[in-house]
Amino acid sequence: MSRRAIPVLIFLFLASQCLGQSKWQVKDVGPFTISLPSGWVFQPARGVDSFIGSFKGDMIALSFDYGWYSNSLSDYEGKDYRVNRGNIIAKFAHKFRIGHRTKIVNARAEKGLIGMYLQNKLVMRQWVALSITSTQDLSSSQRQLVLKIFKSIKFKKDE
C-alpha cells in the first residue's frame, strides 16, 4: 500500500463514521414522540401515578416522568443554573400549544443537571406535564446533544 493511500483511507473511515452518527430515529413512547441518535434505547419503567422511563445512549441517560406530579425543576433555579422559561420557547412554538409553560434548566458548569419541563394539557384543573432530565456530569458537546433531543419532543394531539 502506498503512503498516499493511507491518508485517503483514514479520511474515508472517518467520513463513514460521521455519516453513521447522523442517523436519528423517532421513538413513539405513548403520549409523545422523541428523536434520538441511532443506537439509543428506550427503557420503560413502572410508575405509580405517572408514565416513567429512560432513554440511554452515547454514555448519556435521560430519565422522564409524564403525569400530574412531574418535577417542575424549580429546585434548580439558582446561581449555578441557567433557566430559560416562558410560554413556549420560540423554537418549540410549532410543536406545542401556545400558552403552555416550558422550562429548560442547564448547569453553568459541566457538572449538574440538565432538564426540561413541559406542560401538555389541563386535566381536572391540574396540568399533565413532562419532566426529562440527566443528572450526569456531561461535557459541553453532550449537553448540546441533549438540548437537540429535548427540542425534538412532540406531544400527540388530544384524542
Side-chain angles (χ1 to χ4, degrees):
M1 183 178 312
S2 73
R3 292 183 143 217
R4 290 183 202 160
I6 293 173
V8 172
L9 290 174
I10 291 172
F11 172 78
L12 291 174
F13 173 76
L14 293 174
S16 69
Q17 293 300 311
C18 290
L19 290 174
Q21 291 175 356
S22 66
K23 294 180 183 174
W24 284 62
Q25 57 188 339
V26 175
K27 293 279 188 184
D28 183 338
V29 293
F32 62 94
T33 62
I34 186 169
S35 293
L36 300 165
S38 177
W40 279 57
V41 295
F42 165 52
Q43 296 177 326
R46 186 177 180 154
V48 174
D49 57 9
S50 60
F51 174 51
I52 63 173
S54 64
F55 305 102
K56 295 181 180 179
D58 296 328
M59 306 287 289
I60 302 169
L62 299 173
S63 299
F64 73 86
D65 181 335
Y66 178 79
W68 279 346
Y69 307 108
S70 296
N71 185 346
S72 67
L73 307 177
S74 57
D75 292 344
Y76 297 96
E77 296 181 24
K79 62 180 180 164
D80 295 331
Y81 291 89
R82 288 184 293 273
V83 178
N84 296 323
R85 77 177 95 224
N87 290 335
I88 304 303
I89 297 169
K91 294 175 186 172
F92 297 143
H94 66 287
K95 296 178 184 165
F96 303 109
R97 287 168 283 184
I98 300 300
H100 296 204
R101 285 190 316 153
T102 64
K103 183 189 307 180
I104 295 178
V105 175
N106 196 351
R108 294 188 187 278
E110 290 184 358
K111 294 184 177 188
L113 176 131
I114 183 169
M116 185 167 67
Y117 172 79
L118 302 165
Q119 290 180 334
N120 184 20
K121 58 186 173 183
L122 198 58
V123 176
M124 297 181 354
R125 294 191 223 170
Q126 189 165 354
W127 284 103
V128 177
L130 172 68
S131 176
I132 182 167
T133 60
S134 175
T135 57
Q136 297 171 275
D137 296 339
L138 301 176
S139 69
S140 177
S141 62
Q142 287 175 312
R143 287 179 180 278
Q144 290 303 315
L145 176 62
V146 168
L147 289 171
K148 186 175 179 179
I149 291 169
F150 287 172
K151 291 173 184 175
S152 76
I153 295 171
K154 296 179 185 177
F155 289 122
K156 294 182 179 176
K157 296 193 188 260
D158 292 332
E159 306 281 309

